[in-house]
């Protein structure tokens, strides 16, 4: 019984501590109709592990730096993820990833890779949902992250270009085409993984959950309570 009480307490505390250690954040520095700003996406690895890992690889390769939001439908989503350099677009277009189960629905503010009707067609293009796009769930669009806090107020200031930019020309000409023909497009200046340290309280709680020695339960609970109190 003592172990079960500890387990319940630890699980409850973990639920209040925010993202797990495997999750990560990506900050987007952007220029929109509102001027220079930024928003942060919290990536949940357990939602879509393949998509989360691929997104992190793209960000760390600086793929999204100096790119444009080229498809904007206020009643649907905003799309981006074509490189401003045609050579880079060609390189990444062949790096498709496997489909994976849709574990969470496409809610407003959630991010998912764009895909065609073909299987395993995800590459670098992304959607940020403006509205509840649950209809995408059955098409295999697997969300892997969510815009945090008031970040959607920034996302909603992305210039509404509709569907005018030609994706084929973006891939073949890059930013030279977009800057020449669609100078008002909002842009990503830089996307970067936000470095964070391991949460000591989370480490302790996970340790408590893994231990089944009843004799140490009181000491563990005391330590957990003390650390949680120190955080408040």
């Amino acid at each position: 019984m003592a172990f079960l009480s500890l387990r319940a307490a630890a699980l409850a505390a973990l639920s209040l501590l925010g993202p797990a250690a495997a999750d990560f954040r990506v900050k987007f520095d952007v220029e929109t109709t509102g001027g220079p700003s930024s928003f942060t996406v919290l990536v949940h690895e357990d939602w879509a592990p393949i998509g989360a890992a691929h997104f992190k690889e793209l960000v760390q390769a600086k793929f999204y730096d100096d790119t444009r939001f080229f498809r904007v439908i206020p009643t649907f989503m905003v799309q981006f993820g074509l490189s401003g350099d045609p050579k880079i677009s060609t390189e990444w277009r062949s790096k498709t990833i496997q489909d994976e189960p849709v574990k969470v629905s496409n809610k407003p503010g959630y991010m998912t890779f764009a895909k065609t009707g073909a299987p395993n067609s995800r590459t670098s293009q992304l959607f940020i949902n403006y509205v509840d796009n649950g209809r995408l769930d059955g098409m295999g669009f697997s969300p892997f992250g969510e815009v945090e806090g008031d970040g959607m107020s920034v996302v909603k200031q992305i210039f509404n270009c509709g569907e005018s930019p030609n994706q084929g020309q973006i891939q073949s000409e890059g930013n030279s085409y977009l800057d020449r023909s669609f100078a008002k497009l909002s842009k990503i200046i830089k996307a970067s993984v936000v470095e964070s340290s391991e949460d000591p309280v989370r480490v302790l709680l996970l340790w408590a959950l893994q231990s089944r020695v009843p004799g140490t339960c009181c000491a563990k609970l005391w330590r957990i309570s003390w650390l949680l109190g120190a955080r408040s």
Side-chain angles (χ1 to χ4, degrees), residues 30-222:
V30 298
E31 284 186 7
T32 70
T33 58
S37 191
S38 65
F39 64 89
T40 301
V41 172
L42 171 60
V43 177
H44 299 274
E45 186 185 47
D46 60 327
W47 286 7
I50 298 173
H54 190 60
F55 176 60
K56 190 172 191 178
E57 181 183 3
L58 284 157
V59 172
Q60 291 178 328
K62 303 185 183 302
F63 179 90
Y64 297 107
D65 294 6
D66 193 25
T67 59
R68 310 291 186 265
F69 296 97
F70 59 81
R71 185 178 177 219
V72 181
I73 306 175
T75 58
F76 182 24
M77 54 83 226
V78 56
Q79 185 172 343
F80 62 102
L82 288 175
S83 176
D85 183 336
K87 292 181 179 178
I88 294 177
S89 281
T90 300
E91 175 189 349
W92 282 89
R93 194 158 57 244
S94 62
K95 297 182 179 181
T96 57
I97 58 174
Q98 296 289 308
D99 292 335
E100 54 193 323
V102 178
K103 296 181 180 179
V104 297
S105 186
N106 280 273
K107 297 179 181 179
Y110 282 21
M111 178 180 282
T112 181
F113 275 101
K115 64 191 297 293
T116 69
N120 308 319
S121 58
R122 297 182 296 171
T123 53
S124 62
Q125 296 189 53
L126 297 166
F127 287 177
I128 297 177
N129 292 311
Y130 274 141
V131 299
D132 188 333
N133 288 320
R135 61 191 176 87
L136 296 178
D137 301 351
M139 303 178 194
F141 288 78
S142 306
F144 61 84
E146 59 182 315
V147 177
E148 283 196 301
D150 63 352
M152 283 303 291
S153 65
V154 176
V155 176
K156 289 180 180 179
Q157 292 184 41
I158 292 170
F159 178 74
N160 182 5
C161 62
E163 300 182 82
S164 297
N166 183 283
Q167 294 188 35
Q169 283 189 262
I170 301 174
Q171 293 184 23
S172 63
E173 299 180 48
N175 284 344
S176 63
Y177 158 66
L178 293 175
D179 293 345
R180 180 178 69 249
S181 302
F182 302 95
K184 292 184 179 181
L185 291 184
S186 294
K187 63 181 69 175
I188 297 171
I189 305 301
K190 179 182 179 181
S192 54
V193 176
V194 179
E195 299 298 330
S196 62
S197 57
E198 181 68 87
D199 189 330
V201 178
R202 182 180 296 282
V203 171
L204 185 56
L205 289 171
L206 289 173
W207 168 66
L209 284 171
Q210 293 166 358
S211 174
R212 302 186 65 90
V213 183
T216 63
C217 286
C218 291
K220 290 173 186 175
L221 280 172
W222 180 86

